[in-house]
Amino acid sequence: TSYDLTQATVLQRKKDIEVALVKLEAIAKAKVLISCDSPAGYYASDMKKSQAERYWIKYLVRLAELSSERNDLPLAGRCLNLAACIANAGDDEKADFSIVMRASNATTVEECLRKMIPAHRQDPMWIEMFNGVLKRLDEPYDYQTYLAIGHRSSLYYVSLLEKQPTKLEDAIRDKETPIPIRFRSYLPRFSTASLSRIHERFSGVSSRLPTDPYNFKQLQQAVDYDSHLFSQTGWSYAALEESATLFEQIVKTTRREITRRNVLMQAIAILMAKLDPARGLPLKGRYAIDLDDKPVRIKRLDKGWIVYSIWGDGVDDGGKEIKDGHGDWVVHLSPGTVPPPIDPKKKSSAMTTP
C-alpha cells in the first residue's frame, strides 16, 4: 500500500514495482479500467473497483513523491502520468459516483503537483513533465451524458417501486451503493408517481446545459431549473429531489477540481516561459476563472510569488495556506526572485540538463 512505501522499500521492491507499472500502463492503454453492470443503466459505479482505483492513485502519487526526493524524473513522470490516466478514466461510465471519484482522484494528483512544483521550479525537464500531466487531466466533464443516465435510472427505479412500493430492498437489489437509501423515510406516504414529472425535469435541465462545459454560470442556471417540482411528496418528487441534489453536488465538486487545475496550469505556464508574474496571468479564458468567477489570484509575498484559488470556503484569505477549514489553495512559484529568462541559444542545452 501507499502507507508502506519508503525510500528503502522502493529500492527493495524495485522489480515488483516495475512489473506493476508495466501492467497498469497496459491496462490504461486498453482503457478497460472499470466496468459497470447496474441493471438501472449504469447508475452507480462498482464500489470495489472505484476503491481499487483510489488505492492505486494514492500508491502512484506516493511513489512519485519518493522519486521526486531522489530527483528520479523518469519514474516520477511515469507514476504521475499513469495516475492522471486512471483518474480521467474513472468517469467513463458518466454516473454520479464515478464523476465524483474522478474529481477526487484528479485532486489527489493535483495536490501532489502543488507540493512538487516549488522543489523543481528551475528544472525545465520537470516543469515540462508537470505540464504533460496537467494536459492529461485537462478534459471536460460530460454532464449531458450523466443526466441522460440519471434520467433512465430514475424511471427504472420509480417504475419498479410503483409496482411494489413496500419492497425497497427488492428494487435496490444487492448493490453496494443503493440509489435512494434515504427514500426509506418516504415509505408511509408513497403515492402513484407521475413519470411525466421526471421527463419534464431531466429534459428541462438537459436543454439548458451550456455547450461549453466550463460555463459554470449557465450550468448553475440549469441546476436551478424548476425547483418547485420538489415541493410535494411521492416517488417521482423524491426521485427528482434526490437527482437535483446529486447534480448540484457534482457541479460544485467538479468546479473545485477544475479551479485547482487552472491554478496549476497558470503556475506551469509562468515557469515554462520564465515569465514575470508581475505581468499577470499568462493564460486567459477558462483557465483564468476562480470559484467566485473572478480571475485566479496571483500575488507577491515576502517569500516570493504565488498563484492561488480561494478554495471551497469562498473567501479570499490573501494566499494563506489552508488551516482549520480556512485559507487558499496556493502554488508557490519561487521562494525568492523569478529566475531570469532562458537565452534562446542556450534553451536546447537547458532542456537536456538533469
Side-chain angles (χ1 to χ4, degrees):
T1 67
S2 58
Y3 303 105
D4 297 330
L5 282 179
T6 63
Q7 295 290 7
T9 56
V10 168
L11 294 176
Q12 291 171 1
R13 304 173 188 173
K14 188 174 181 179
K15 291 183 178 179
D16 294 335
I17 289 173
E18 177 62 23
V19 170
L21 289 179
V22 170
K23 288 183 177 179
L24 280 174
E25 286 166 343
I27 293 172
K29 186 176 181 180
K31 296 184 178 180
V32 290
L33 291 169
I34 64 175
S35 61
C36 185
D37 57 358
S38 168
Y42 311 114
Y43 190 95
S45 300
D46 186 309
M47 282 287 288
K48 290 182 179 179
K49 292 175 183 176
S50 296
Q51 287 172 353
E53 285 184 352
R54 184 70 174 156
Y55 293 147
W56 271 114
I57 286 176
K58 286 184 176 181
Y59 186 90
L60 291 166
V61 163
R62 177 57 179 156
L63 192 55
E65 291 171 345
L66 294 172
S67 302
S68 171
E69 293 174 7
R70 301 193 309 274
N71 202 31
D72 187 344
L73 173 59
L75 183 55
R78 285 180 72 189
C79 292
L80 288 175
N81 275 286
L82 188 50
C85 179
I86 294 174
N88 262 13
D91 75 332
D92 282 351
E93 302 162 39
K94 314 299 181 187
D96 56 353
F97 183 76
S98 63
I99 288 180
V100 171
M101 283 301 296
R102 173 190 162 185
S104 175
N105 289 335
T107 298
T108 299
V109 179
E110 289 156 1
E111 182 64 25
C112 178
L113 292 175
R114 184 184 77 87
K115 294 177 180 178
M116 291 172 66
I117 285 173
H120 302 284
R121 68 193 181 279
Q122 292 181 314
D123 190 324
M125 296 182 71
W126 277 89
I127 297 302
E128 187 174 341
M129 184 270 286
F130 295 150
N131 187 53
V133 174
L134 286 171
K135 286 184 176 180
R136 193 178 291 272
L137 288 173
D138 192 34
E139 294 183 10
Y141 289 90
D142 188 352
Y143 302 109
Q144 191 72 252
T145 304
Y146 159 73
L147 282 175
I149 292 171
H151 188 173
R152 176 181 173 184
S153 300
S154 294
L155 294 176
Y156 172 83
Y157 278 97
V158 169
S159 64
L160 285 179
L161 290 162
E162 277 188 312
K163 297 173 183 177
Q164 294 179 308
T166 60
K167 294 187 177 181
L168 185 62
E169 298 301 330
D170 290 342
I172 293 175
R173 307 289 177 94
D174 59 348
K175 293 298 172 184
E176 292 181 293
T177 313
I179 301 297
I181 273 293
R182 70 181 68 180
F183 287 178
R184 198 183 300 271
S185 62
Y186 288 93
L187 279 170
R189 50 197 179 95
F190 280 161
S191 60
T192 300
S194 171
L195 298 186
S196 63
R197 287 194 290 264
I198 293 178
H199 288 306
E200 179 185 357
R201 166 66 184 177
F202 278 98
S203 61
V205 174
S206 182
S207 65
R208 285 165 174 76
L209 286 179
T211 54
D212 177 6
Y214 298 100
N215 185 338
F216 286 100
K217 183 176 182 180
Q218 191 175 342
L219 192 57
Q220 187 60 48
Q221 291 174 351
V223 170
D224 296 335
Y225 168 70
D226 274 358
S227 58
H228 69 275
L229 291 173
F230 318 138
S231 62
Q232 302 182 43
T233 62
W235 258 115
S236 61
Y237 290 113
L240 288 174
E241 185 171 7
E242 180 78 0
S243 68
T245 301
L246 285 172
F247 187 43
E248 185 173 14
Q249 291 173 349
I250 285 170
V251 170
K252 290 180 179 179
T253 300
T254 55
R255 184 172 188 182
R256 284 196 294 268
E257 185 274 314
I258 290 170
T259 300
R260 290 168 181 172
R261 196 194 314 159
N262 288 347
V263 171
L264 288 167
M265 296 192 81
Q266 295 286 356
I268 290 299
I270 291 172
L271 293 171
M272 283 191 75
K274 302 295 182 182
L275 301 175
D276 183 357
R279 297 182 179 179
L281 300 173
L283 303 178
K284 308 302 179 183
R286 67 178 179 88
Y287 295 109
I289 301 175
D290 206 342
L291 284 174
D292 57 357
D293 294 320
K294 295 180 180 179
V296 167
R297 276 69 169 174
I298 186 166
K299 184 177 182 180
R300 182 162 191 165
L301 303 178
D302 293 339
K303 295 182 179 181
W305 287 91
I306 60 172
V307 183
Y308 69 94
S309 165
I310 61 173
W311 197 55
D313 61 359
V315 178
D316 186 347
D317 292 295
K320 294 182 180 178
E321 298 283 351
I322 298 170
K323 184 178 180 180
D324 299 328
H326 300 284
D328 302 311
W329 203 77
V330 182
V331 177
H332 292 268
L333 296 177
S334 65
T337 58
V338 178
I342 295 179
D343 187 329
K345 296 180 180 179
K346 300 179 180 180
K347 186 174 183 181
S348 58
S349 61
M351 290 299 293
T352 58
T353 303

